[in-house]
Amino acid sequence: MWTIAKEWFAWVLDMWPVLKEVLPTLGLGGALIGGIEFAKWCDVFSSPFWSKLQLAILVYTVLSMCWDGYWVLHPSKQEVQWQRGTDDYGLN
């Protein structure tokens, strides 16, 4: 039991930069989809347009999370140089 918890905690610490970037997008997309679903459940929205909008929001959310995660794991050359404080030749 504790080994699983330790492994999970270690994974979260290792992936924290990625999670910090993708969780706000996941939260916003989930809130939008949940809000539309709640409105459909209350019979406020009844056309098939809203289901298609939910699908579009889901696709956009997933693609945006992948994009943000990719750039966290693969920063650009300019960003790496800026973080290190160097120029193209490795000088300050």
Side-chain angles (χ1 to χ4, degrees):
M1 167 78 179
W2 289 109
T3 58
I4 294 172
K6 287 179 185 177
E7 290 174 5
W8 185 83
F9 186 69
W11 180 85
V12 168
L13 287 178
D14 188 38
M15 295 301 290
W16 183 247
V18 176
L19 293 173
K20 190 171 67 171
E21 287 293 320
V22 301
L23 287 178
T25 305
L26 178 63
L28 181 62
L32 287 172
I33 291 171
I36 293 171
E37 190 62 33
F38 180 73
K40 284 175 19 183
W41 181 71
C42 293
D43 290 331
V44 175
F45 302 142
S46 59
S47 72
F49 166 76
W50 297 104
S51 295
K52 291 178 183 175
L53 181 62
Q54 281 180 312
L55 180 61
I57 291 171
L58 176 66
V59 169
Y60 176 78
T61 300
V62 169
L63 289 176
S64 179
M65 288 171 51
C66 291
W67 182 261
D68 293 341
Y70 175 82
W71 286 111
V72 168
L73 296 174
H74 303 92
S76 67
K77 179 181 175 185
Q78 291 82 13
E79 187 174 353
V80 170
Q81 289 174 348
W82 175 75
Q83 288 175 353
R84 291 181 183 167
T86 60
D87 58 7
D88 287 336
Y89 303 105
L91 303 172
N92 289 335

